[in-house]
Amino acid sequence: MIKRKSAMLFMLAALFSSLFAWNAYGQEQTDARTTSDAGQGGGVEWTVKRTEELTWKRTEEITYKAVDGSGGGGGGGGNMVWQTNNTAYLNSYWFSGVEPLTDAQMKERVLELQKYKIKYQLADIGILVDSGDAYNGTLPENGYAELGRWMKISRETDPAQKIIATVNYGRRYFWVNGQRVSNPNFGNAVFNDNLRAFADKIVNQGVLYEGQWYKADGIQLDIEGFLPNDPVLKATAQHVRTALSETAVYSIASPADPAVWSDAYVTEMAGIFNMLNPMMYDQMGWGSPVVSPETYRQLWKSTIVRYAHAIANSSRPSAMLNPTMPAYEKKVAEDGTVYHDPAVENILNAAIGLKMARDQLAIDRKADPRIAKNGVHGAGIFWWSTFILIGPDPNDPYGHDYAPDREWWMKEWVAQK
């Protein structure tokens, strides 16, 4: 969705300007601790403590308790089961060096991802070149100048986390006389060969840092805007797949709308990718049925059930389904249309809708055992840089505070049975 990408770029630009107003996050010892998840019997206590220097010092400490017999989406009881196969969209500035980070700051970020039960780091490393020459489909190296150092520190800090290099492209089509026209640069032979070569480099060969080669655990494509059941996108995806082994994570950001990706097309794409990440946000406005918390929950239920069945019918029924939850500020288009309202599109309502979907899929699985036992592999967060902000967002005119989002994430999703 073009509007989502432009919103993200605006957010990044705002963050860049803000770097000159305060010191980088994580300049002090976090003193973070956590109790073990295993063998906790009737209860678990999990604590995050994080210190951040802006123009003043602020400390946030959040404690999550799961008590035997407690109700709600975060109820515990017996041995606590965590939803841990989660994804997070990480800021491109961390990997390009636009936001300078010390080794200690990188380590702190990895530990924070660990605290919030993130397994897959979707590391944004730049935008693919859109051109009519030999550079079409390449990725500028300055977008991942710090990726090698990040991979080194991340794996030293928490080797269980997977690093998925995320590449972006936002010019899949143009508007001409009110009609979508396919961009001829996308998916042609030059583009496909260059993108395949990059996937081979980043996953199989690696990037050099201090004399060592560091390889990503996989690659994600974020190709926007979407065209209905796009055959060119499918061909590009198949071409890149030939560079990757079955052990590499091959992921794509995908649309929720069945009018864009039909059930049959999702089934085809699940046969190519081994992770699908539906973008379950920016779903409001322009006649959308998403107008309330209840309708947003229903969108989650219907979309996840649809994707799960389509994946089960594919040649790769083990493909991982990781729908993405929103954690960012209100978004208003130039014509005044609100296309994202955190009072509606938020982690709480997403988690409730996901639980509704998982309950339905548990029933459906009796007739089709190919459906994933958990319903989904995990869930994701967009946008991580706002999700972790302490206090009101300084770049948001509405002053959104993400503390409830963090609590909802842990109680309503991570602790969801």
Side-chain angles (χ1 to χ4, degrees):
M1 288 170 282
I2 290 293
K3 59 180 181 290
R4 185 188 74 87
K5 183 62 66 182
S6 62
M8 181 182 75
L9 293 175
F10 175 81
M11 186 186 307
L12 293 178
L15 174 60
F16 178 66
S17 64
S18 70
L19 292 175
F20 297 98
W22 55 66
N23 295 326
Y25 154 71
Q27 292 190 346
E28 294 192 349
Q29 187 78 17
T30 59
D31 191 28
R33 64 180 178 85
T34 180
T35 57
S36 173
D37 299 338
Q40 291 296 321
V44 172
E45 182 173 302
W46 187 88
T47 301
V48 177
K49 187 175 182 182
R50 184 153 60 90
T51 301
E52 183 170 41
E53 275 197 356
L54 300 177
T55 52
W56 62 90
K57 185 187 295 182
R58 307 189 66 172
T59 300
E60 175 185 57
E61 185 167 350
I62 309 171
T63 301
Y64 303 95
K65 293 183 178 179
V67 181
D68 187 21
S70 64
N79 291 323
M80 194 65 195
V81 178
W82 298 96
Q83 302 286 351
T84 59
N85 295 319
N86 301 311
T87 60
Y89 282 83
L90 307 187
N91 199 318
S92 63
Y93 290 179
W94 299 1
F95 312 105
S96 66
V98 170
E99 180 185 354
L101 299 174
T102 66
D103 289 0
Q105 288 169 335
M106 284 189 176
K107 179 177 179 179
E108 186 174 2
R109 280 162 169 71
V110 174
L111 288 173
E112 188 162 43
L113 289 160
Q114 181 188 71
K115 295 295 184 186
Y116 286 104
K117 305 299 180 184
I118 301 300
K119 180 176 181 180
Y120 303 97
Q121 305 173 10
L122 299 179
D124 186 344
I125 57 172
I127 300 173
L128 296 168
V129 171
D130 171 43
S131 68
D133 56 25
Y135 293 100
N136 190 37
T138 60
L139 192 76
E141 292 186 358
N142 58 5
Y144 55 99
E146 292 291 295
L147 182 62
R149 182 163 71 98
W150 174 276
M151 289 193 283
K152 175 182 183 292
I153 293 170
S154 179
R155 288 171 178 150
E156 289 173 349
T157 305
D158 182 7
Q161 292 186 43
K162 304 295 183 182
I163 301 163
I164 315 301
T166 298
V167 296
N168 303 276
Y169 189 82
R171 295 173 62 83
R172 175 63 192 94
Y173 62 77
F174 304 109
W175 286 100
V176 178
N177 297 325
Q179 300 293 321
R180 291 185 178 93
V181 177
S182 178
N183 183 350
N185 293 333
F186 178 78
N188 62 28
V190 174
F191 183 98
N192 288 353
D193 285 345
N194 282 334
L195 181 53
R196 184 192 183 280
F198 179 76
D200 179 59
K201 172 184 176 178
I202 207 72
V203 176
N204 301 324
Q205 301 173 39
V207 294
L208 189 64
Y209 177 69
E210 292 186 342
Q212 298 291 323
W213 292 93
Y214 294 92
K215 304 174 185 178
D217 296 293
I219 187 169
Q220 163 155 297
L221 307 184
D222 189 350
I223 309 296
E224 302 182 45
F226 295 105
L227 291 176
N229 297 337
D230 190 347
V232 180
L233 174 60
K234 179 183 171 184
T236 296
Q238 289 172 319
H239 191 70
V240 175
R241 157 55 73 189
T242 62
L244 303 172
S245 72
E246 287 298 313
T247 60
V249 177
Y250 188 30
S251 175
I252 187 166
S254 60
D257 190 346
V260 180
W261 280 23
S262 67
D263 293 4
Y265 190 80
V266 173
T267 294
E268 292 175 351
M269 296 301 266
I272 300 170
F273 295 91
N274 55 20
M275 179 182 280
L276 301 181
N277 296 335
M279 297 184 290
M280 302 291 291
Y281 44 85
D282 286 2
Q283 297 296 317
M284 303 179 68
W286 299 289
S288 167
V290 178
V291 295
S292 66
E294 292 74 21
T295 52
Y296 187 55
R297 295 168 188 175
Q298 286 296 326
L299 174 74
W300 266 80
K301 178 184 177 181
S302 61
T303 303
I304 300 314
V305 168
R306 183 174 81 86
Y307 261 82
H309 279 278
I311 290 170
N313 289 325
S314 75
S315 61
R316 194 189 303 273
S318 62
M320 298 171 282
L321 177 56
N322 279 63
T324 308
M325 299 182 180
Y328 56 96
E329 70 275 19
K330 189 174 183 178
K331 293 296 181 181
V332 183
E334 292 181 359
D335 64 3
T337 300
V338 176
Y339 61 89
H340 169 72
D341 184 351
V344 174
E345 291 188 341
N346 58 43
I347 288 176
L348 173 61
N349 292 325
I352 292 172
L354 182 49
K355 179 68 166 105
M356 293 162 58
R358 293 178 64 228
D359 288 345
Q360 180 61 55
L361 290 168
I363 296 171
D364 296 350
R365 193 174 183 278
K366 295 175 182 178
D368 188 352
R370 298 173 302 172
I371 295 172
K373 291 182 179 180
N374 197 45
V376 294
H377 183 66
I381 295 174
F382 182 89
W383 177 245
W384 187 254
S385 290
T386 46
F387 176 82
I388 61 175
L389 278 177
I390 298 174
D393 186 346
N395 298 311
D396 176 20
Y398 302 95
H400 189 73
D401 191 323
Y402 299 94
D405 299 82
R406 291 188 288 273
E407 185 170 358
W408 291 332
W409 172 258
M410 291 305 300
K411 287 186 175 180
E412 303 301 332
W413 167 241
V414 172
Q416 188 178 109
K417 291 183 180 179

